[in-house]
Each structure stands twice: as structure tokens, then as C-alpha cells.
Amino acid sequence: MVMKLHEGEIGKTYIVYRVMAKEAITRRLEALGVTELTPVTLMNKKGSGTVIIKVRGTRLALGRKISEGIEIREAASHE
């Protein structure tokens, strides 16, 4: 099941399915390690839509517009 990043549950690990954002933002996310098939753990969510994720050992805070442009799917237990 594919969903937006901000729709995930805190504490769960997901796989980035697709990044749909402006080219400059997509490139920046790639530089930070947020690419397709990358596992990300949702650490926290704010009411405004801001999310804090852990990716490749680093915590990142992403605003609502960016988190809406990142599609995720649940990670299988063997991934």
C-alpha cells in the first residue's frame, strides 16, 4: 500500500516508493540520502504536517509540502 510520508505511523520503518517534488528539492533530498528504495523511519509528526525521519543514520525534519511529495510503502519484515 502506497501512502504519503506524513500519513505513516510514528516508529515504523517504510521504503521510499517515489519522490515527487520540484527538481531542486528532489536533488537536495537525493544528496541527503532520501532516494527510491531507501528505508526511512518515521520518528515524529507535528500537527502542521512537519515530519522527522531517520534515514541512513541521520535525522531530518521535512515540511508538509515536501513530506506530501514523498510516497512510501510499508517495509516487509525481511527488508
Side-chain angles (χ1 to χ4, degrees):
M1 177 176 132
V2 176
M3 63 185 127
K4 304 289 185 187
L5 181 60
H6 67 90
E7 296 172 337
E9 289 182 44
I10 295 172
K12 280 195 163 184
T13 299
Y14 298 92
I15 301 295
V16 175
Y17 180 73
R18 181 171 36 186
V19 179
M20 301 176 303
K22 292 181 180 178
E23 189 176 340
I25 293 171
T26 301
R27 280 198 315 266
R28 180 68 175 142
L29 288 171
E30 287 174 354
L32 293 169
V34 181
T35 57
E36 291 179 8
L37 303 179
T38 301
V40 297
T41 303
L42 191 55
M43 304 297 286
N44 203 349
K45 296 195 299 188
K46 305 292 182 186
S48 61
T50 300
V51 296
I52 299 172
I53 62 170
K54 188 172 188 177
V55 58
R56 301 181 195 262
T58 302
R59 290 170 53 132
L60 301 175
L62 304 174
R64 182 175 188 91
K65 284 195 171 201
I66 295 173
S67 66
E68 285 179 346
I70 300 174
E71 290 185 343
I72 57 172
R73 63 178 171 81
E74 288 195 33
S77 57
H78 66 291
E79 288 184 300

Short mmCIF file of all heavy atoms in Angstrom, two decimals, residues 32 41 43-44 46 51-62:
data_model
loop_
_atom_site.label_atom_id
_atom_site.label_comp_id
_atom_site.label_asym_id
_atom_site.label_seq_id
_atom_site.Cartn_x
_atom_site.Cartn_y
_atom_site.Cartn_z
N LEU A 32 20.81 14.15 0.49
CA LEU A 32 20.66 13.80 1.90
C LEU A 32 20.41 12.30 2.09
O LEU A 32 20.31 11.83 3.22
CB LEU A 32 19.52 14.60 2.52
CG LEU A 32 19.77 16.11 2.63
CD1 LEU A 32 18.48 16.84 3.00
CD2 LEU A 32 20.86 16.40 3.66
N THR A 41 12.68 5.74 8.74
CA THR A 41 11.89 5.51 9.95
C THR A 41 11.24 6.83 10.34
O THR A 41 11.91 7.85 10.45
CB THR A 41 12.78 5.00 11.10
OG1 THR A 41 13.43 3.81 10.67
CG2 THR A 41 11.95 4.71 12.34
N MET A 43 10.08 9.23 12.83
CA MET A 43 10.41 9.47 14.24
C MET A 43 9.34 10.29 14.97
O MET A 43 9.05 10.03 16.13
CB MET A 43 11.75 10.20 14.36
CG MET A 43 12.91 9.50 13.67
SD MET A 43 13.29 7.91 14.38
CE MET A 43 14.06 8.40 15.89
N ASN A 44 8.79 11.29 14.28
CA ASN A 44 7.82 12.18 14.92
C ASN A 44 7.01 12.90 13.86
O ASN A 44 7.49 13.08 12.73
CB ASN A 44 8.54 13.19 15.82
CG ASN A 44 7.65 13.75 16.91
OD1 ASN A 44 6.44 13.54 16.91
ND2 ASN A 44 8.26 14.45 17.86
N LYS A 46 4.30 16.41 13.47
CA LYS A 46 3.70 17.60 14.08
C LYS A 46 2.34 17.85 13.44
O LYS A 46 2.08 17.42 12.31
CB LYS A 46 4.60 18.83 13.85
CG LYS A 46 6.03 18.66 14.34
CD LYS A 46 6.09 18.58 15.83
CE LYS A 46 7.54 18.45 16.29
NZ LYS A 46 7.68 18.23 17.69
N VAL A 51 7.34 16.45 9.47
CA VAL A 51 7.72 15.11 9.96
C VAL A 51 9.21 15.09 10.23
O VAL A 51 9.99 15.81 9.62
CB VAL A 51 7.36 14.00 8.95
CG1 VAL A 51 5.87 13.90 8.76
CG2 VAL A 51 8.06 14.17 7.63
N ILE A 52 9.61 14.24 11.17
CA ILE A 52 11.02 13.99 11.45
C ILE A 52 11.26 12.54 11.11
O ILE A 52 10.56 11.65 11.60
CB ILE A 52 11.37 14.29 12.91
CG1 ILE A 52 11.11 15.77 13.21
CG2 ILE A 52 12.83 13.93 13.19
CD1 ILE A 52 11.25 16.15 14.67
N ILE A 53 12.22 12.30 10.21
CA ILE A 53 12.52 10.95 9.78
C ILE A 53 13.98 10.63 10.07
O ILE A 53 14.80 11.52 10.24
CB ILE A 53 12.25 10.74 8.27
CG1 ILE A 53 13.12 11.67 7.41
CG2 ILE A 53 10.78 10.92 7.96
CD1 ILE A 53 13.07 11.36 5.92
N LYS A 54 14.26 9.34 10.15
CA LYS A 54 15.65 8.89 10.28
C LYS A 54 15.97 8.13 9.01
O LYS A 54 15.27 7.17 8.65
CB LYS A 54 15.82 7.99 11.50
CG LYS A 54 17.26 7.66 11.80
CD LYS A 54 17.37 6.93 13.13
CE LYS A 54 18.81 6.77 13.52
NZ LYS A 54 18.93 6.12 14.83
N VAL A 55 16.99 8.59 8.30
CA VAL A 55 17.39 7.97 7.05
C VAL A 55 18.91 7.85 7.04
O VAL A 55 19.61 8.82 7.31
CB VAL A 55 16.86 8.76 5.83
CG1 VAL A 55 17.33 10.19 5.84
CG2 VAL A 55 17.23 8.10 4.53
N ARG A 56 19.40 6.64 6.80
CA ARG A 56 20.85 6.38 6.75
C ARG A 56 21.58 6.90 7.99
O ARG A 56 22.66 7.48 7.90
CB ARG A 56 21.45 6.95 5.48
CG ARG A 56 20.84 6.38 4.22
CD ARG A 56 21.49 6.97 2.98
NE ARG A 56 20.72 6.73 1.79
CZ ARG A 56 20.96 5.74 0.92
NH1 ARG A 56 21.93 4.91 1.11
NH2 ARG A 56 20.20 5.62 -0.15
N GLY A 57 20.94 6.77 9.15
CA GLY A 57 21.56 7.17 10.41
C GLY A 57 21.46 8.64 10.75
O GLY A 57 21.99 9.07 11.76
N THR A 58 20.77 9.42 9.93
CA THR A 58 20.65 10.86 10.15
C THR A 58 19.18 11.23 10.32
O THR A 58 18.33 10.74 9.59
CB THR A 58 21.23 11.64 8.95
OG1 THR A 58 22.60 11.25 8.79
CG2 THR A 58 21.16 13.14 9.16
N ARG A 59 18.91 12.13 11.26
CA ARG A 59 17.54 12.61 11.43
C ARG A 59 17.33 13.86 10.58
O ARG A 59 18.15 14.77 10.59
CB ARG A 59 17.29 12.94 12.90
CG ARG A 59 17.23 11.71 13.76
CD ARG A 59 17.23 12.05 15.23
NE ARG A 59 16.20 13.01 15.56
CZ ARG A 59 15.35 12.87 16.58
NH1 ARG A 59 15.44 11.82 17.35
NH2 ARG A 59 14.45 13.78 16.82
N LEU A 60 16.20 13.89 9.87
CA LEU A 60 15.86 15.03 9.03
C LEU A 60 14.46 15.51 9.37
O LEU A 60 13.57 14.70 9.62
CB LEU A 60 15.86 14.63 7.54
CG LEU A 60 17.14 14.10 6.93
CD1 LEU A 60 16.88 13.66 5.50
CD2 LEU A 60 18.21 15.16 6.96
N ALA A 61 14.27 16.81 9.37
CA ALA A 61 12.94 17.40 9.53
C ALA A 61 12.49 17.90 8.16
O ALA A 61 13.24 18.61 7.48
CB ALA A 61 12.99 18.55 10.53
N LEU A 62 11.30 17.48 7.75
CA LEU A 62 10.77 17.87 6.45
C LEU A 62 9.42 18.55 6.63
O LEU A 62 8.57 18.07 7.38
CB LEU A 62 10.58 16.63 5.56
CG LEU A 62 11.81 15.76 5.33
CD1 LEU A 62 11.43 14.51 4.56
CD2 LEU A 62 12.89 16.53 4.60
#
